[in-house]
Amino acid sequence: MREYQLTDWLPTTKKEVELRKWTSIDVILFSADAYVDHPSFGAAVIGRTLEAAGYRVAIVPQPDWHGDFRDFKKLGRPNLFFGIAPGCMDSMVNKYTANKRLRSEDAYSPDGRHDCRPEYPTIVYTRILKKLYPNVPVVLGGIEASMRRLTHFDYWKGKLMRCILCESGADMVIYGMGEKPVVQLCENLKAGKAIGEIKDIPQTVFLCKNEKDIPDGITSDDIVLNSHEVCLRDKKAQAENFRHIEEESNKIHAQRLIQEVEGSYAIVNPPFPPMTTEELDASFDLPYTRMPHPKYKNKRIPAYEMIKFSVNIHRGCFGGCAFCTISAHQGKFIVCRSKESILREVKKVVLMPDFKGYLSDLGGPSANMYGMGGRNRKACEKCKRPSCINPQICPNLNTDHGRLLEIYHAVDALPQIKKSFIGSGVRYDLLLHESKDEKTNEAARVYTKELICNHVSGRLKVAPEHTSDEVLRLMRKPSFSLFGRFKQIFDRINERENLNQQLIPYFISSHPGCREEDMAELAVLTKQLNFHLEQVQDFTPTPMTVSTEMWYTGYDPYTLKEVFSARTPNQKLAQRMFFFWYKPEERRNIEHELKKIGRPDLIKKLYAKSDYSHLHYKEEDKGLQNTAKSYKGRDVNKSNGKNIRTHRYR
């Protein structure tokens, strides 16, 4: 790899602008993350996209928002607009746990420091810029703004909040993956249009002062949501809104959304169609250095350390998990990179000076969705299901793992690659799906074996999330019995191939619909499988997810039936402790709680020595029962370390 020069990064200071001999800048991006010039970091992607389109772009990473605001003034006024890139994660998820405690470090800041970004940087940065440059457009992007584009519940403030344009004073939101709309916006502004005149770009949100200002007026093709004021009075109205918001986010031909807020109107234009492979390749093939800016020399950026030897092979996720924002931000339709583009990036990785031959992840939002989509595209164009695999796998979905196997083989054939690991989560329900096409089924079996034998770095991450069928239904996750079937396969292959690997399951407590009894039964079932769980988390309500709407409103947005949620710290703690039934200090509390809820029968199931005969199963849970028998008397499968699962919020 050649030695990079300072000018290989987008400029971040006046001196770096002068090195390029620029007299002005078209777009200045303010990022709440450290500047890492890598396709996994949003500010870098938008900056490089605009650069490729011929615009002069600078990035101001983590500006000081105190004092005289010199960081906001140092590059002056842009020709077109200021862009706010608040970070790869929601700032509040990044900073606080589900119990609203400060996380141990900020993964996207140098040395994990907590003082490099404010809470809600989108709002803080915009207000400063509007004060300093009131006539310059400010455009919002990234997960923080995208998920707050309409009335939303904010867990950290504990209340329903307005569209983020109202809170911040910005001019426009670009939601979702922003390459296409941001280039079109620049073209409009360069042509001399004022920001207030630009109302036809897909995947944007803007405000109209009154109904007369709405382009073309309100038509029968629009979906008019309950107003912000109605939602404040009626939680069921907020739940009704969310169903429309989610459905329109997951349609190829979506409708425009309109919501009144304090006399003004928030207008959400439908999204762009999914990118093509050629378009996605073009984004990943931009001249990223793949490294942090030189200003961070000798400083550790935790998130970068995690992904610097990884390669993302697709965008989108059709899982539709109720607590996840990936499909809301990236869309449910999978867009795949070409094999050639993936190999080009891998060849850049292997030239990095500290690369030792091991790719940490060759994956995506869901590792094994690459190459999958609807066989009949016209059917997909009429579909508004938020998930292609829940409650059942769509019969139109092609679940063939063959194309993904080709990618693995091509990467592993490179002489510099010793091993490529799959660090992203794997959907085992896709692996176990019985298609009508035997070729597809055989590819799934081959993929499963190859994954376990060649691509696991000692541990394979999967996410059953819970054991209760009712909780899993609300989560949009498959039955826990499928996990039992997959575990049998995993262990059989490990035994046959003389491997010593672990299956690491993730679980969530306090999700809407989950009660203490459900957590107690989770403890019993996972004990039976000899798991001592540590890869766990409490449910965190994040803006604009189905789970959050259920948690806040108390209603399922799709049925409007009431849903119980654990809300208080004591209720959450009472659920979480069941994860740690094996810790002696938890036993007294657990026994007390089980007696309190009228389930003393579970005490013996949790604490009887090596006794599995007391566990009862439904007919469909025989896979679990057989798996448990195979584990009787064997060593405990213990997962070490604690994982926050930040990938869910990127």
Side-chain angles (χ1 to χ4, degrees), residues 273-284:
M275 296 177 82
T276 64
T277 290
E278 292 73 23
E279 288 170 332
L280 189 59
D281 282 355
S283 179
F284 275 90

Side-chain angles (χ1 to χ4, degrees), residues 580-596:
F580 308 110
W581 61 268
Y582 55 87
K583 294 185 177 181
E585 64 268 25
E586 295 289 359
R587 178 167 181 170
R588 178 179 295 180
N589 291 332
I590 287 173
E591 289 183 350
H592 173 78
E593 202 64 32
L594 288 174
K595 291 174 183 176
K596 179 181 173 183

Side-chain angles (χ1 to χ4, degrees), residues 225-273:
L225 303 173
N226 296 307
S227 71
H228 177 74
E229 289 70 31
V230 168
C231 292
L232 287 174
R233 297 193 302 267
D234 183 359
K235 290 184 176 181
K236 188 175 284 189
Q238 172 66 14
E240 289 174 344
N241 276 3
F242 183 79
R243 177 173 183 172
H244 293 300
I245 294 168
E246 185 179 46
E247 286 181 342
E248 298 312 306
S249 296
N250 287 296
K251 285 166 61 176
I252 291 179
H253 303 295
Q255 294 171 261
R256 186 171 66 170
L257 299 175
I258 299 175
Q259 183 184 35
E260 184 178 2
V261 48
E262 298 177 346
S264 297
Y265 291 83
I267 314 297
V268 181
N269 284 334
F272 272 97

